[in-house]
Amino acid sequence: MKSLKAFTFIALLAFVFILSACSSDSEAGGEGDGEGENASEDTVKLTMGSWRTEDKESYQKVIDKFQEENPNIEVEFKPSKNTEYNTILNTALKSGEGPDIIHLRPYAPGIELADNGYLEPLDDLEGLDKFPESSLAASKGSDGKQYGVPLNISTTQIFYNKKIFEELNLEEPKTWEEFMQINKTLKEEGYTPISLGTKEGWLLSLAHGMIGPAHYGANEFVDNITAGETSFTSDKFVNSIKAMDELKPYLPKNYEGLGMEDIRTMFFTGDSAMFPMGSWEIEVLREMNPDLELDFFPMPSAVGKEPTITTWVDGSYAINANSEHKEAAKKFLQFMTTEEFGKMFTEEFKMISAIPGIESEDQLVNDLGKAADENSTPYLFLVHFSGGNPSTKTTIETELQGMYLGERTPEQVAEAVQKNAESWYEPLQK
């Protein structure tokens, strides 16, 4: 009996010991879970909005580099389709939502977001002093405060298929007459000379942005029109619209129904020989056709001036005024002002960084940068005339679409542009 009691007592002690151990393990596990929750709470998650769906892989490399030094800040790049981005972003911002970090459209659209109170001022951000005022102006609010970090300098020029040019013994044109002769030769040889469609209006303002200066005289006209000393109904500007009209025979068949995807495909597959487009397409074209022999030439002048490259700050990054993680977002934007970021951006995206002095190992990108430094002219309707409702930029797009449909004359296009600009641009209201 005694031995049975002793056994029972020992068993009871063992049971109590096991319960105690389990309780301790449970508490330790609870503390471990708590530590995990605290670590999770210390990690800030940022969202980054943009229209550059094609750059997702490159942006992830940039984010990975940033997170090497900032492991507690996670950044998710969430782009929207180019043609839908503005609507998606504006709807979100009006609801007090939207991404923490916002890719701003340059000039008027981005400045409008700042003026409406949707963006956080960045005047105290370290690194902004690296950028020239001309670049900062693309995202400076009407209140004089800075709201964006300039990302890149975009250029427009004529890309061409070197293999086709060599096959037909064609050389880069130095005058407008030589350019038109190249178009004629290409068409006679069975190629579509110029890969351009009119379905999407922005393609037309972009094309005019590089073709127009060859006829209205580039920077001299820009200075005069912005000062209100000439008009869009002047002979110089009307001639720039006539030049667009003269290119009709050299565009693809059914150009009225062709958009960006269509004309890009025509060029990288070799169906067309020339592509009037922005520098952001370099890497896209190479990915679509690694064997494409790609080069460019500046737009030759029709009025005896130097050939020109059209340039502008093509986007900046800003912070959502309603973001709950502004300080973390500022760290990311500060990273975007560094030479490290500038070099990485240039190499990964094959674009010209807005940070001065950054060179690329890519010869084509470097050549574009040098050409832009030597003979640049601004993208007139984006930089100076993207205001108004509808904007003057939108007006020239819709009017040019009408011209290509045979519903407008060049003179009517110019008159509509002038009327719109007078409705909001004070120097033209004299």
Side-chain angles (χ1 to χ4, degrees), residues 46 62 66 70 73 101 122 124-131 148-150 317-319 326-342 355:
L46 301 174
V62 168
F66 169 76
N70 299 273
I73 302 177
I101 299 171
L122 299 175
D124 61 345
L125 188 74
E126 185 179 341
L128 280 181
D129 57 352
K130 296 178 181 177
F131 299 94
V149 174
Y317 272 101
I319 296 175
K326 294 177 184 176
E327 290 307 312
K330 280 186 177 181
K331 284 188 177 181
F332 189 81
L333 261 62
Q334 184 176 332
F335 172 65
M336 298 183 87
T337 71
T338 63
E339 184 175 322
E340 180 183 24
F341 169 79
I355 300 171

Side-chain angles (χ1 to χ4, degrees), residues 3-36:
S3 61
L4 179 61
K5 288 182 178 179
F7 176 81
T8 302
F9 179 72
I10 291 170
L12 181 62
L13 283 176
F15 181 70
V16 171
F17 177 77
I18 291 170
L19 283 177
S20 176
C22 288
S23 175
S24 297
D25 287 345
S26 176
E27 289 173 3
E31 290 173 359
D33 289 345
E35 289 172 358

Side-chain angles (χ1 to χ4, degrees), residues 26 29 53 119 137 140 159 211 276 323 331 348 351 377 386 398 427:
S26 176
T53 54
L119 307 180
K140 188 181 290 293
F159 289 117
I211 294 167
S323 171
K331 284 188 177 181
E348 288 293 335
M351 298 182 192
T377 190
S386 53
T398 55

